[in-house]
Amino acid sequence: MLVKIAPAFILGLFFAEFLSYFPVCTILLFLLCLSFKLFSTKRQAIQTGLFVSFAMGILFPAVHSFLAGPDDLSRLINREQATVIAEVSHAPQHGPNRLVLQMKAISILENRKHVPIHGLFRLTLFPSKQIILYGDRLEMTISLRAPKQFRNPGVFQTADYLERKFSGVAFLSNDQTIKKIGEGGNRFLKDIYHFRDQIREKILSDMTSPAGPILLAMVLGETGYLTDPIRDAFTDSGTNHILSISGSHLAMVSFFIFGSARFLLLRLPIPMLLRLSLIKIPSQWAALMTAIAAIFYTLLSGAAVATVRSLIMILAYLFSIVLGRPAAIKQALSLAALLIVIADPQAIFDISFQLSFLAILFIILATKWWEALYPKPDATQGMVERFKQAAITMGVASCAATFATMPLTLYYFHQFSFVGIISNFIVIPLTGLLLLPLGWLSSLAAPFFPFFPLAALNFEIGLFYFKIVSFFAEVHYANLHFASPHLLMVVLFILILWVLLVRRVSLRIMVVVLVFFSALFVGWGSLRFLSKSLRVTFLDVGQGDSAFIEFPTGETMLVDAGSGMPFDVGKAAIVPFLWERKIKTIDYLVGTHPEMDHIGGFDSIIKKFNIKHILSNGIAPDVQFYQALMKTIRDKRIAQQVVNQKTMPIQIGDCRIIFLHPNVGVDPNEENRNDHSIVFRLSCLSQPDTAFLFTGDIEKQAIDIMLLDNDLTKSTILKVPHHGARGSLLSSLFLGDTFLKKVSPKIAIFSVGEKNRYGHPHSEVIAAYKKSGAKIYRTDHDGAITVTLHPKKGVSVRSFRESRMQKVRWGKAVFSEEIQNFKKGLGRF
């Protein structure tokens, strides 16, 4: 019964979420289910139980929020700095230059009084000099902010994910404003996390990269020390799941401990073994020992959702051995799911929850399906035959986990590693039989030694392990990227796969279905169809610039790519967008000028895509990021071209790009880089009265030159110069008016970061553009802004914000708002 109740309850939780966006349809579906229940005469008891579970799932989030108390912490969002007292409520996550803390708010200082407050927030320290531990009560002055995200199509929406866990986030450049005022937390957990810190320090002091960071991730769940090359190697080889402590790690450790404990118990002196066996047999004692070790390992690793799920399942299995009853793995999985979502209903939207439960569920279904088709060999068959059958079963399990999670991996991350089916055959056994047991035993002994035990051996094994992972990562087409499938396609595939496994269809039918859906996901996600329209997307890259141009003939151009430091915007905000657009080749990569906020993201773009031409203004600053970029360009052997106002126009189909700036003969060491930005005008014959003007970061000097040379002409869509800085328009009011009158834009695009420290765009600049009659769009408010030039219909503009579903408010407009959500949900941006 538990196997049926858990899905019904979880389905109710999903319906509770849908209620916010589709209230009418959700209520109608609920009434339909209720009618079916009332008029049905079959299996009344089972149907009643399932319906009650479903209804409880719908109501539970509201009840859970009520019991948790008011989340007053959210009222501090985007306010001035506040003095808050909070407690470190989870194991701190470390990194080379940062410390991430989950904080439970206790009180806030208002009018010299401490007022109680509730809620969780995430605090990041850059860097952290103080030693801050779990349970520490801290007084700090912070500005609480809503989590930020890059609002571009195809980009994982980090803020939406974090807002389900935290009321807000805070950042401090140094922790001198933090004062420890007391201690709280669980005494037992404090001891475990102190033990964890000792292990971390020993590994960091005695083991270098890549072995040290890999061991930290696998043993302690500390992923902050993993470098991009390490992460990319595991991702491309399809073994990324091994870097996060999940069911496989816990199962490996539990299997090792159970086997070792049973082996040692059976070799005890006969009298002692007999006395123990009067209470429990060796397997039962081994199960109890393993249960204790599994709980300890889960707590030591930080108790992530996937680890807790695995712990519950393993405990259910172990206690079935202790009680002498057969283990029911489906019941254990259902129990794990119920306990997790009851503790936190928002866990159903956690990616690790979805992926781990799907993987385990379909491994169970697939192995049962395979055993029904091809029964296990009996005990009389030889060792070779049984080993062969075990290998086949492992292969079936690996394929089941891979294909079951494939659509969700594509949906969230645009990637799927075909080589992962093979690499996991080697990497997982190597992890479970060698790397993890040795690392785990060495870590347990580390606090009792002045050094990390067997550090040299652990390092050599870790290095060998990483070389194997890197080998698979370098296989041609190891990790392919596609546009994300529609959520309905994901759900449909999972349901069909579930039905086929339950119905025990033949292997031939299963292969046909998997091949069909794989081809559908790959084909739909990679085949790019040409459009007759010109499409320009001004991307949200924070405080920086980037625009992507898709020509009707299929050619593409990327103008700038945001910053590369301290956060790689190209990798986080632009690469996923290009995958979503099914882009593999960029014909023209244009760096308007060599500033970090414009070309800092180029490195990731160049490494991930085929670049045909790079256009620049010729300035070559002697700065580290630029020299590193030039090395990447040379290594890739990409053709570079310096452009200026004398450069011949680029003709792409019926579209034409005319370069207006910079002047001829720019000094390569020029320090005034903004006023030497590349400026160009884009127009197409299909709409001769419509044009785009891209202006980089030009200000008064460049604007004066172009006005005097009559280079500036009317342009319908203007990328506002220098993020709307005052100097880009109003350094001279007369020239400012002339610039706007000359260009006369109908649409003005401001590429700016939310609450940036420069104060862009300036209020006077905004006022000037409004006065000119231009419609204003801002990437900090609207997210990505796509302007489409249709051959016959003219210009259409759609922002990322407009494309997202909004929560429906009850009132006269409830039906129209719900219909709009349906259109947005079914359509693609």
Side-chain angles (χ1 to χ4, degrees), residues 714-781:
K714 184 176 180 181
S715 299
T716 314
I717 300 98
L718 170 68
K719 202 292 295 182
V720 176
H722 200 186
H723 322 291
R726 192 175 190 276
S728 68
L729 182 65
L730 298 177
S731 56
S732 166
L733 185 61
F734 173 77
L735 286 175
D737 281 347
T738 304
F739 173 73
L740 277 178
K741 288 178 180 177
K742 194 79 172 179
V743 178
S744 188
K746 294 181 180 178
I747 297 170
I749 311 288
F750 288 81
S751 182
V752 288
E754 185 179 358
K755 300 184 183 300
N756 63 84
R757 60 191 176 122
Y758 307 102
H760 296 162
H762 197 280
S763 58
E764 293 180 26
V765 176
I766 291 287
Y769 277 93
K770 286 183 177 178
K771 184 179 178 181
S772 73
K775 186 171 183 180
I776 293 175
Y777 289 90
R778 299 172 50 162
T779 56
D780 59 337
H781 293 171

Side-chain angles (χ1 to χ4, degrees), residues 550-572:
E550 297 169 88
F551 294 92
T553 51
E555 284 90 343
T556 59
M557 175 181 284
L558 180 65
V559 184
D560 293 332
S563 180
M565 290 181 62
F567 188 76
D568 190 346
V569 174
K571 183 177 182 179

Side-chain angles (χ1 to χ4, degrees), residues 264-286:
L264 294 174
L265 285 168
L266 289 173
R267 276 148 185 81
L268 288 173
I270 298 298
M272 184 181 297
L273 180 61
L274 289 174
R275 282 196 297 270
L276 287 175
S277 299
L278 290 174
I279 305 172
K280 297 287 182 184
I281 63 174
S283 294
Q284 292 173 319
W285 284 113

Side-chain angles (χ1 to χ4, degrees), residues 373-384:
L373 294 181
Y374 306 97
K376 289 183 178 180
D378 54 44
T380 60
Q381 290 184 292
M383 183 65 71
V384 174

Side-chain angles (χ1 to χ4, degrees), residues 661 675 698-708 712 721 727-729 735 739:
H661 198 68
D675 272 323
I698 59 169
E699 292 194 320
K700 179 181 181 298
Q701 180 183 346
I703 293 173
D704 289 352
I705 292 172
M706 286 188 286
L707 283 170
L708 292 173
L712 290 173
S728 68
L729 182 65
L735 286 175
F739 173 73

